[in-house]
Amino acid sequence: MWSFKLEAKNSLRTKKFWLTIVLISLVYVIAFREIKDNLKATTNLQGVLTFSLIGYILASAFLFIGLYVLILGATSINGDLENGTVQISLSKPVNRIQYLIGKFLGQFVSIIVALLFATLLSLVITRYYSISITVKIISDLTIANALTLLSMLQLLALGLLISTFIRSQNTAISVVLILFLVTGLVAPQIVDSMAKDRAREEFHIKTPEDAMKMPVEERNKYHQRQIELQKEYHLRYLFYIPQVLLEDIVIDMQRTTFIKGKIRTEYIRAWDAIKNNPLRVSLLVGLTLVYLIMAVFRFVRMDLR
Amino acid sequence: MLRIENLIKIYKDIRALDGLNLEVKEGQIYGFLGPNGAGKTTTILSILGMIFPQKGRIEVLGEEVFNGKFDEEKLIKVKYMIGYMPEDATLWDFLTPMQTLDIIGEAFKMSKAERQKRSEELLKLVGLWDVKDKKVGKLSKGMRQRLLLAQALINDPELLILDEPMSGLDPKGIAEFKELIRQFNKEGKTVFFSSHILAHVEEICDTVGVIVKGKLRAQDSLDNIKKEFLRRAGHTILIETNKPIHIDLEGVKVEVIGTNKYRIITSKDVREELHDLIAVQNAKILTMQIKEPSLEEIFLKMIE
């Protein structure tokens, strides 16, 4: 597809992309130190390492790749209108749907490169701590990356949709920054505190001291219920935020059980975590398609001037 | 080659095109003149299917691409034969001129060898061969304008559509640009270009269309437009006599513009009748001058 080739070249050359790569590298500088501490406190080296690395891929994705992707999408059509390249492209024998899908897939290439870079850094860390790179680690990282990619695609499609509504790139960037702040920080905080309130209500906890006074078994049950409610509320109120859906799937990779007052953390395979969350995975895929179809629908009816 | 009938485009409450009709014949250099905001770009973008008019009909290269709605298949088909140069586009800064033409050629499904050959020819034609490997972002405005023209020519189009192609160019650049358009036209190709500056179209266009507020005010050769204007607006004769006179001729409007000085506006040449009339009043003509409007004045009058 003609516009795919053009966009892939374009997105890999932007300053936004290279800034994202630098920021991901910084996240992994922090990761080096923190993973060292995590490994000291465990005997399940591979499990902890895999989970920590996936955590860092997600952190990179949420903090930087996500913002990069949203901005990339939100400034694509309006950007092309501002610099006149959309008129040049569509004056050639290229139809609008091909153009938009090609652009989407071209931008997708830069996300893959950013994620591969994050994965490569993860593997470097694995080797640094002399932990052998097993098939399990590779497959778990690949699956986690694929999931991250799905959530990033959703953000890209949303950005693309925004770019068909907002004509100015600068306004689109402002909207996206606000959106990122609200959906990445404010909304999850509010929803999580709602879940905590509900858990307190169920366990008749009025003050923090009440929780401390509870027997260990009961307290563990309370914490577990809090996590359950958070996930439930995420699905109910934050189903449109891909980062939240992804986080809930990944959290399932770490299964914490409380047996006779002792906490036991078990790491399950990434594929099993996906199988446990079919609705969340469907939402990741489904909403991406919805946004993309809406963007196409809007773009094919837009006056391009 | 290009026919537009009763085209209407309304943006919210602005009638950008208000029943526009125009026709461009094969082999013409058609100057599409009009002030800023008259609807020139809207017309061009409608021809290319980038703007959706509400009503009307557009026929390009014998294909009816729009009749109330666009026929996507026909539109794609005619785009293989159209070259378009937008107003003030930046192109892709990260590509070189050579890469730009190569990737544009790909959109026309040209083979690698064809693209290579055509790009070389065009870069030499527009004088960009020496900077073929320089990033577009580092080229001057004039160079980028020439590259925009080159990209419009990559498919050797039958119809070349240029939107304000000479805006921002220096006089030398404008002269070179006009020469390029002439060369292209000599090969039998049709050129349709818009401008809000009469001087840009005056020398090279055989036909001119004047658009004002979304409607075509006139469409003809510049000579015919001038004749028609004179027919409608009339001749202006300035005379000065040795004493006051009274002019009473049918169809003649007289304004006193000074002591014994008169401006006579008439739809026909009345110089002989004037001589007789003044002689009857025992007055003498000291000066008589027929004032013909310049094209610039005609244009300004039309767009008023």
Side-chain angles (χ1 to χ4, degrees), chain B residues 96-99 123 128-134:
Chain B
T96 65
M98 196 71 187
Q99 290 167 334
L123 289 177
L128 292 178
W129 183 246
D130 292 343
V131 291
K132 68 180 193 302
D133 296 322
K134 206 173 169 181

Side-chain angles (χ1 to χ4, degrees), chain B residues 30-45:
Chain B
Y30 187 104
F32 194 39
L33 267 175
N36 290 328
K40 300 186 297 292
T41 301
T42 301
T43 306
I44 289 175
L45 294 180

Side-chain angles (χ1 to χ4, degrees), chain B residues 252-265:
Chain B
V252 169
K253 195 178 150 200
V254 182
E255 288 171 25
V256 179
I257 53 171
T259 313
N260 302 335
K261 286 181 181 171
Y262 307 88
R263 178 187 289 127
I264 296 159
I265 300 160

Side-chain angles (χ1 to χ4, degrees), chain A residues 2 5-6 9-10 13 83 85 87-96 300-305, chain B residues 9 11 42 45 49-52 72 79-80 84 86 89-92 94 103-104 106-108 148 151:
Chain A
W2 180 75
K5 194 175 169 185
L6 190 59
K9 279 185 182 175
N10 188 11
R13 283 173 163 87
N83 60 32
T85 47
Q87 280 99 344
I88 292 177
S89 301
L90 292 179
S91 68
K92 316 303 171 209
V94 175
N95 82 36
R96 290 195 188 204
V300 295
R301 281 163 179 76
M302 256 176 103
D303 279 337
L304 301 172
R305 66 160 307 167
Chain B
K9 174 64 188 173
Y11 296 111
T42 301
L45 294 180
M50 282 182 240
I51 274 178
F52 296 92
E72 189 69 28
K79 279 180 183 175
Y80 276 99
Y84 166 62
T90 55
L91 284 165
W92 297 275
F94 60 92
I103 207 149
I104 297 276
E106 260 187 73
F108 288 98
L148 275 172
Q151 67 77 32

Side-chain angles (χ1 to χ4, degrees), chain B residues 59-110:
Chain B
E59 193 184 301
V60 189
L61 293 145
E63 299 284 348
E64 188 183 69
V65 295
F66 180 83
N67 193 350
K69 63 175 185 170
F70 280 104
D71 184 326
E72 189 69 28
E73 210 174 298
K74 285 180 181 171
L75 195 62
I76 294 284
K77 189 179 161 193
V78 299
K79 279 180 183 175
Y80 276 99
M81 294 174 274
I82 294 179
Y84 166 62
M85 176 184 169
E87 182 191 5
D88 212 22
T90 55
L91 284 165
W92 297 275
D93 283 355
F94 60 92
L95 298 175
T96 65
M98 196 71 187
Q99 290 167 334
T100 303
L101 295 186
D102 186 69
I103 207 149
I104 297 276
E106 260 187 73
F108 288 98
K109 299 188 171 68
M110 292 162 75

Side-chain angles (χ1 to χ4, degrees), chain A residues 58-106:
Chain A
L58 288 186
S60 310
F62 292 168
L63 291 171
F64 307 118
I65 307 177
L67 189 58
Y68 159 72
V69 163
L70 253 181
I71 291 176
L72 185 69
T75 54
S76 49
I77 300 301
N78 44 25
D80 286 359
L81 274 171
E82 275 180 23
N83 60 32
T85 47
V86 68
Q87 280 99 344
I88 292 177
S89 301
L90 292 179
S91 68
K92 316 303 171 209
V94 175
N95 82 36
R96 290 195 188 204
I97 298 176
Q98 281 175 354
Y99 177 80
L100 192 78
I101 300 295
K103 218 172 158 52
F104 179 76
L105 295 176

Side-chain angles (χ1 to χ4, degrees), chain A residues 39 75 138 141 182 191 231 301:
Chain A
L39 291 176
T75 54
I138 297 277
L141 286 179
V182 171
V191 170
K231 286 185 71 180
R301 281 163 179 76

